[in-house]
Amino acid sequence: MIPLVVLIAVFAVGLLAGRFGVRYFQSWVTSLRCALAAMFLLTAYAHWGPLRPDLVRMVPPSFSDPELIVTLTGIAELAGAVGLMIPRVAPWAATGLAILLIAMFPANIHAANAELTIGGTPATPLVPRLVMQVVFVAVVILAGFAPRWFGSRTSASRSSGAESRA
């Protein structure tokens, strides 16, 4: 649940910064990419921080070497977070992150079914986790491909009269 809160909070701050004239955040896509990068940096930290043993337990028993899987998924989250911040690479990063989210979903199923805890808190039940996962995948894809789909509507069009006459 904390990743969702981080995603929403950072996105809102980015949108507000854009409204208050911070040029970098004039595009909602930039705010969304920053929010996703923050979320994935947070979740990547868990792969090496105090939550690591809980993440290792989340890996379904049918997978071998859960320690390696947790390490590799953490590296992928870090790479994806960085990639989202590079406009030319963002579609590739978004695609990779969407695939990663789908690939990691069996760990969430296992955590919910085995009633595991993460940081002492029960794992999110399966149905709410599925809904969050769908939202995360959709938002990642939107962040990666919105400029291609919506063109100029992805940025704030604030041009002065002099620019429009040029």
Side-chain angles (χ1 to χ4, degrees):
M1 192 63 76
I2 292 174
L4 181 62
V5 171
V6 168
L7 176 66
I8 293 168
V10 174
F11 183 56
V13 168
L15 290 176
L16 283 172
R19 284 274 192 193
F20 285 105
V22 178
R23 290 183 80 95
Y24 184 76
F25 290 105
Q26 285 185 339
S27 166
W28 64 266
V29 173
T30 300
S31 296
L32 187 58
R33 287 178 179 171
C34 286
L36 282 164
M39 181 187 88
F40 281 109
L41 289 173
L42 171 75
T43 57
Y45 166 74
H47 289 72
W48 294 282
L51 298 181
R52 181 177 175 86
D54 295 338
L55 296 183
V56 170
R57 278 191 294 281
M58 284 179 66
V59 177
S62 58
F63 290 89
S64 63
D65 205 350
E67 293 269 349
L68 178 62
I69 290 172
V70 169
T71 298
L72 293 176
T73 56
I75 291 169
E77 288 178 349
L78 287 172
V82 171
L84 285 174
M85 300 310 300
I86 304 169
R88 287 186 152 204
V89 178
W92 293 100
T95 301
L97 287 168
I99 292 168
L100 180 67
L101 286 166
I102 293 165
M104 292 188 318
F105 193 66
N108 292 292
I109 294 170
H110 174 66
N113 288 341
E115 298 179 355
L116 299 179
T117 60
I118 303 167
T121 303
T124 305
L126 192 54
V127 172
R129 181 61 203 182
L130 174 61
V131 171
M132 277 195 307
Q133 202 78 356
V134 168
V135 168
F136 291 152
V137 170
V139 170
V140 164
I141 295 298
L142 181 63
F145 293 93
R148 290 183 183 183
W149 295 337
F150 303 118
S152 63
R153 291 185 295 176
T154 61
S155 63
S157 305
R158 295 185 182 150
S159 60
S160 68
E163 289 175 21
S164 60
R165 288 190 296 269

